[in-house]
């Protein structure tokens, strides 16, 4: 009679070995769900900011035409537009869809392309860290300043700089760990890429 009480007892209790492949898959699955929620939330916020920009410009135009100008509408439109641009830029970065000059990179061997990608990241990442670090100071310094007739803080506009920088850093890190160094700044689908 063999003794089956080894570590299989944990599995009979409903427990799962933390090192098992199914546990690792579960953690990856939970991470994918969280990133999916994060991506959806960012897309919704971008659409809300863009819609709010259009709506405030429309209200300003109608009010001016009717002889009842809405004094706060231009500043609100500016606020929403800046946030729509920052969030939209991050969505583009996540997909590698920013405008890029690829003539040189596409014509050199893969080793040189890899060096160029590393050089780009060595320039971009410290710059984004710099913007995030000093951007929060800028936003805090502008928090008492008023955004025109809105009554809101001007810091809401300057806050877009550090928040955007942090979002860009997260997107670059995600692409780096998902696709590797070579494809960090490359588009996901080269077939959709169109030359200017």
């Amino acid at each position: 009679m063999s003794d089956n009480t080894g570590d299989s007892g944990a599995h009979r209790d409903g427990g799962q070995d933390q090192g098992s492949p199914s546990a690792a898959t579960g953690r990856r699955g939970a991470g994918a769900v969280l990133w999916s929620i994060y991506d959806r939330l960012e897309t919704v916020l971008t659409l809300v900011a863009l819609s709010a920009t259009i709506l405030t410009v429309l209200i300003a135009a109608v009010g001016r035409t009717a002889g009842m100008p809405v004094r706060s509408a231009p500043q609100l439109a500016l606020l929403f537009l800046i946030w729509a641009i920052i969030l939209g830029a991050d969505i583009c970065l996540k997909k590698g869809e920013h405008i890029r000059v690829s003539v040189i990179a596409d014509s050199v061997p893969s080793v040189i392309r890899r060096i160029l990608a590393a050089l780009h990241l060595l320039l971009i990442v410290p710059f984004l860290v710099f913007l995030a670090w000093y951007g929060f100071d800028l936003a805090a310094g502008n928090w008492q300043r008023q955004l025109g007739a809105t009554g809101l803080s001007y810091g809401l506009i300057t806050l877009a700089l550090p928040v955007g920088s942090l979002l860009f850093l997260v997107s670059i890190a995600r692409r780096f760990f998902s696709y590797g160094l070579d494809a960090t700044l490359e588009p996901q689908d080269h077939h959709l890429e169109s030359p200017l």
Side-chain angles (χ1 to χ4, degrees):
M1 230 164 138
S2 63
D3 184 16
N4 291 334
T5 59
D7 51 55
S8 63
H11 295 292
R12 268 183 287 171
D13 294 350
Q16 203 171 37
D17 183 17
Q18 292 299 316
S20 71
S22 59
T25 305
R27 284 192 296 269
R28 263 187 263 129
V33 168
L34 287 176
W35 283 121
S36 174
I37 293 169
Y38 170 85
D39 293 340
R40 249 187 240 129
L41 179 63
E42 185 176 41
T43 302
V44 167
L45 288 175
T46 306
L47 292 173
V48 166
L50 190 58
S51 301
T53 304
I54 295 166
L55 187 63
T56 50
V57 169
L58 178 67
I59 289 170
V62 169
R64 208 170 27 251
T65 304
M68 297 180 298
V70 181
R71 289 181 36 213
S72 61
Q75 291 88 12
L76 286 174
L78 178 66
L79 172 67
F80 294 131
L81 180 63
I82 287 171
W83 279 99
I85 289 169
I86 291 293
L87 295 171
D90 187 49
I91 290 171
C92 285
L93 183 60
K94 274 192 276 195
K95 297 178 180 179
E97 292 179 355
H98 276 278
I99 295 175
R100 63 193 187 96
V101 179
S102 60
V103 171
I104 296 172
D106 291 347
S107 63
V108 296
S110 62
V111 175
I112 305 286
R113 202 173 309 137
R114 197 173 176 85
I115 292 170
L116 284 173
L119 180 63
H120 289 153
L121 290 177
L122 284 174
L123 292 172
I124 292 169
V125 170
F127 180 66
L128 290 174
V129 169
F130 173 82
L131 288 179
W133 185 266
Y134 288 103
F136 282 112
D137 285 341
L138 178 68
N142 281 303
W143 209 257
Q144 299 303 320
R145 187 174 159 197
Q146 201 171 34
L147 180 60
T150 63
L152 298 173
S153 170
Y154 191 81
L156 292 173
I157 285 184
T158 53
L159 191 62
L161 179 68
V163 170
S165 299
L166 290 177
L167 291 174
F168 297 161
L169 286 168
V170 168
S171 295
I172 288 171
R174 282 176 69 188
R175 286 189 61 84
F176 179 79
F177 290 114
S178 296
Y179 303 112
L181 175 64
D182 294 343
T184 301
L185 301 173
E186 296 284 321
Q188 283 176 306
D189 192 352
H190 285 279
H191 301 295
L192 297 177
E193 191 175 26
S194 59
L196 295 175

